[in-house]
Amino acid sequence: MIKFLDLQKINNLYKADFQQAFEQTLDSGWFLQGNNVKAFEESYAKYCGVKHAIGVANGLDALVLILRAYKELGILKDGDEVIVPSNTYIASILSITANNLVPILVEPDMDTFNLDPNLIENHITPKTKVILVVHLYGQLADMKAINAIAKNHNLKVIEDGAQSHGAQLDGKVSGGIGDAAGHSFYPGKNLGALADAGAVTTNDDELATVIRALLNYGSHVKYQNLYKGVNSRLDEMNAAFLEIKLGKLATVIEKRRAVANMYLSGIKNSKIILPKVEKIDAHVWHLFVIRTNQREALQNYLLENGIQTLIHYPIPPHKQKAYEEMKELHLPISELLHTQVLSLPISEVIEHKDVAYIIDCLNKF
């Protein structure tokens, strides 16, 4: 069986370094808010080209804390609207509603899967304060157009960079192209920890200061609480692991692009619609997602031939029971995509002979 993602094989690449980092952390007796976290934050801030990287417990918390901090700063208030792609993982929208803000779902571009900037201004109202952009599957959204719209309407731009570590646009890296960004280091990401982990990046000193307090029970100084905060701290062990992996991220991206290029050049079946790449450097291929009107049949066929695939995502957020208040929304592009998309195996450790076999099977379907 060709696994969709072989995490054991991926992490074995770093096993010796991980073991050394584990022993050093264990021997230090320091497991939270120590030197490992500081070192990774400094490295990741430099990598993203920003002043601040703030380690948090997971990617959802990163987005929640950005919006919460803007509320504490008086930039947002309950009932304000946040434009967000309708074609995304539900976490993007959960971060909005968790802050008593209103998600305004906007359809994606059919070819790139990302937020269509041509539709944004139709949804801007006097209550609109933020555009939350999701760089889905590893490809940057059209940030030039989106940032221009935001500037014209005095809106904040938050990047959901959970899937786009290292994607670049005109020399700027994902996480440094908006006002702030949330990152996930979930184990399956291109830059993955060995548990849930995340970060916020920003150039905004004031925002960073508030977030650092919020994630630590609302406190900068022990037992002095400025805000009704939460506990959302990146731990020392995973910070050390992430520091190790960050040093190899360029190679990971290069290998994933090689696999993606094999798929793009080799798949010739008219039943399959390939993803569209706007710019090579703007895509890091967290996922390789095809479209087909025969998804169930194709997925079963591939499984019968020893190929594991996944669906990202089978149900759009506005059709989830959790958001029953949105069930009357009609978002035909998102609804169609969620019936067509299928994710093929892609990683830095998949063998090219296996990719060639997958391509052969797809072309014979």
Side-chain angles (χ1 to χ4, degrees):
M1 174 68 71
I2 300 174
K3 291 183 179 180
F4 175 76
L5 185 65
D6 193 335
L7 283 178
Q8 293 93 334
K9 195 171 182 181
I10 287 173
N11 286 309
N12 275 339
L13 296 172
Y14 310 95
K15 190 171 182 178
D17 289 334
F18 282 176
Q19 287 176 330
Q20 185 178 4
F22 171 79
E23 289 174 8
Q24 288 174 344
T25 305
L26 187 65
D27 291 343
S28 77
W30 199 287
F31 306 110
L32 290 168
Q33 295 182 301
N35 291 330
N36 290 347
V37 170
K38 289 176 185 175
F40 174 69
E41 287 178 340
E42 289 175 4
S43 296
Y44 198 60
K46 184 178 180 180
Y47 181 82
C48 294
V50 295
K51 291 166 68 176
H52 305 281
I54 305 157
V56 298
N58 56 70
L60 173 56
D61 281 4
L63 295 174
V64 170
L65 287 165
I66 293 168
L67 292 167
R68 170 75 188 280
Y70 277 136
K71 290 183 76 176
E72 295 292 351
L73 289 167
I75 293 167
L76 295 176
K77 64 181 184 304
D78 286 1
D80 281 343
E81 295 175 353
V82 178
I83 287 174
V84 63
S86 53
N87 181 46
T88 184
Y89 183 55
I90 199 169
S92 310
I93 296 165
L94 288 171
S95 70
I96 299 168
T97 56
N99 279 289
N100 294 316
L101 302 170
V102 180
I104 304 299
L105 275 58
V106 176
E107 290 269 58
D109 178 281
M110 180 71 91
D111 292 324
T112 66
F113 305 111
N114 279 329
L115 180 64
D116 187 341
N118 297 309
L119 303 178
I120 291 175
E121 289 192 292
N122 294 336
H123 293 81
I124 293 175
T125 75
K127 288 188 173 184
T128 307
K129 302 296 179 185
V130 176
I131 303 174
L132 198 166
V133 184
V134 182
H135 303 311
L136 201 64
Y137 307 147
Q139 180 163 220
L140 293 178
D142 187 347
M143 292 302 290
K144 281 186 178 178
I146 291 167
N147 280 332
I149 293 167
K151 185 177 180 180
N152 288 340
H153 294 273
N154 195 28
L155 307 177
K156 294 292 185 184
V157 175
I158 299 172
E159 298 174 77
D160 182 339
Q163 301 184 7
S164 58
H165 314 107
Q168 297 187 30
L169 178 68
D170 297 333
K172 290 189 174 183
V173 180
S174 173
I177 315 177
D179 294 290
H183 307 257
S184 169
F185 306 124
Y186 178 79
K189 305 296 186 184
N190 290 17
L191 180 59
L194 299 190
D196 275 319
V200 172
T201 54
T202 185
N203 284 311
D204 188 327
D205 297 339
E206 199 172 17
L207 183 74
T209 299
V210 175
I211 289 173
R212 285 200 180 277
L214 285 173
L215 67 85
N216 187 42
Y217 301 97
S219 171
H220 288 300
V221 179
K222 196 168 186 178
Y223 303 129
Q224 296 179 27
N225 303 82
L226 298 175
Y227 311 103
K228 297 173 183 175
V230 297
N231 176 11
S232 181
R233 299 177 294 205
L234 174 64
D235 68 87
E236 285 287 290
M237 197 71 71
N238 275 292
F241 296 157
L242 287 166
E243 178 81 357
I244 292 164
K245 281 191 164 185
L246 182 59
K248 303 292 185 182
L249 185 54
T251 301
V252 168
I253 292 169
E254 183 182 343
K255 289 181 176 180
R256 283 175 170 266
R257 283 183 178 148
V259 174
N261 287 334
M262 286 183 69
Y263 281 140
L264 290 169
S265 61
I267 298 171
K268 304 294 184 183
N269 190 327
S270 61
K271 299 183 182 72
I272 295 168
I273 302 169
L274 295 171
K276 182 178 178 181
V277 184
E278 295 280 290
K279 292 185 178 180
I280 293 173
D281 287 346
H283 207 321
V284 292
W285 299 104
H286 170 58
L287 298 171
F288 191 96
V289 180
I290 61 173
R291 291 167 46 209
T292 177
N293 290 320
Q294 301 178 46
R295 183 173 68 190
E296 185 177 358
L298 178 57
Q299 187 173 37
N300 288 336
Y301 161 80
L302 291 173
L303 189 60
E304 289 166 3
N305 283 276
I307 301 164
Q308 184 185 39
T309 59
L310 293 179
I311 298 169
H312 298 86
Y313 304 97
I315 305 172
H318 69 286
K319 295 298 182 184
Q320 298 283 359
K321 185 172 177 59
Y323 286 110
E324 207 160 343
E325 67 271 23
M326 296 184 185
K327 66 182 180 183
E328 300 304 323
L329 285 178
H330 182 49
L331 299 164
I333 297 174
S334 295
E335 289 161 18
L336 178 63
L337 288 175
H338 283 255
T339 67
Q340 293 182 332
V341 292
L342 186 67
S343 301
L344 302 180
I346 186 169
S347 76
E348 57 272 34
V349 297
I350 190 170
E351 295 185 23
H352 283 197
K353 66 178 179 62
D354 289 336
V355 179
Y357 171 71
I358 293 168
I359 292 169
D360 185 55
C361 286
L362 287 167
N363 287 337
K364 289 176 178 175
F365 174 70

